[in-house]
Amino acid sequence: MTPRRIVLGAAGVVVVIGVLEAVSRSGLVDETSLPPASTVLKEAGRLAVDREFLTDVGATVREWLFGLLLAVLAAVPLGVLLGSVPLLGTASRALVELCRPVPSVALIPLAALVFSTPARTNLSLIFYACLWPILINTLYALRDVDPVAKDTLRGFGFSAPSVLWRVSLPSAAPFIATGVRIAASVALVVLISTELLIGGDDGIGIYLAETQQGGGRTDLMLAGACWAGVLGLLANAALLGLERVAFRWHTARVEGIA
């Protein structure tokens, strides 16, 4: 990310904070409903050293990472299989197109009935939410591999697995990584929503729900939500950094085209 983009992004955040502060201080809305941005940021700073809140953050991160890892281990091989075998890809297309638009949040009641604990419910919904972005990106990436490159290797006598390993997977890998990055953001939203609705022992969603008990503290809820946003931002930045390191050739080519 260039310094110019960093400065512009920071300026945008400052403007939004200023607008929210002005709206709250002006009396247009009740401060209990929309606390001043300065108050929210102050509480967010306090949460950064709050041991109980950090425990909630750690619990959310653990479940998020585990669910995402399971989805990657399942979706990438499945996508490679369906994308490499035309017969299987055609046979499964209707099922994939039917299931992928179903939002994971809509399945929370069903998952809560099927699975006995909140942890298993969270994991199942994260897995479902992450599966589709990774699977779809893998399928389309393999379909868009340059056919000339594949035909060239076949002409030199390479087998289908060799063509897949030497050409298709390297070409598709950056797009699969993008699917993982998208899935990571979706998983965080689904996990916190699930924690809010079905409860549990620890988690950011549990903390947000607890702030509304006993009369409610909107400032604490918004402060916790800010840290949820920061967590998503850091996760996206980390995955994007890994992409740039692992696929330097692809990044250089894209930047050169741009």
Side-chain angles (χ1 to χ4, degrees), residues 63-176:
E63 290 190 347
W64 168 72
L65 286 175
F66 189 39
L68 179 62
L69 178 61
L70 288 180
V72 170
L73 293 177
V76 173
L78 181 61
V80 170
L81 179 63
L82 298 181
S84 303
V85 183
L87 180 63
L88 293 178
T90 302
S92 62
R93 181 172 300 174
L95 181 61
V96 171
E97 295 299 329
L98 176 66
C99 293
R100 73 185 181 97
V102 179
S104 298
V105 177
L107 299 176
I108 290 177
L110 176 62
L113 288 174
V114 173
F115 298 98
S116 57
T117 63
R120 292 182 179 179
T121 301
N122 294 343
L123 188 61
S124 66
L125 291 170
I126 295 171
F127 178 83
Y128 183 87
C130 292
L131 180 70
W132 304 111
I134 302 172
L135 178 61
I136 296 301
N137 268 43
T138 303
L139 286 173
Y140 282 102
L142 287 173
R143 290 172 186 170
D144 288 341
V145 174
D146 185 3
V148 175
K150 294 191 291 185
D151 290 340
T152 300
L153 258 69
R154 293 192 189 101
F156 280 101
F158 286 90
S159 63
S162 295
V163 173
L164 175 65
W165 181 255
R166 294 173 180 269
V167 175
S168 298
L169 285 180
S171 299
F175 303 99
I176 297 173

Side-chain angles (χ1 to χ4, degrees), residues 18-39:
V19 170
L20 292 176
E21 182 78 13
V23 169
S24 181
R25 297 291 186 185
S26 66
L28 294 175
V29 295
D30 186 359
E31 287 193 12
T32 58
S33 300
L34 181 62
S38 57
T39 302

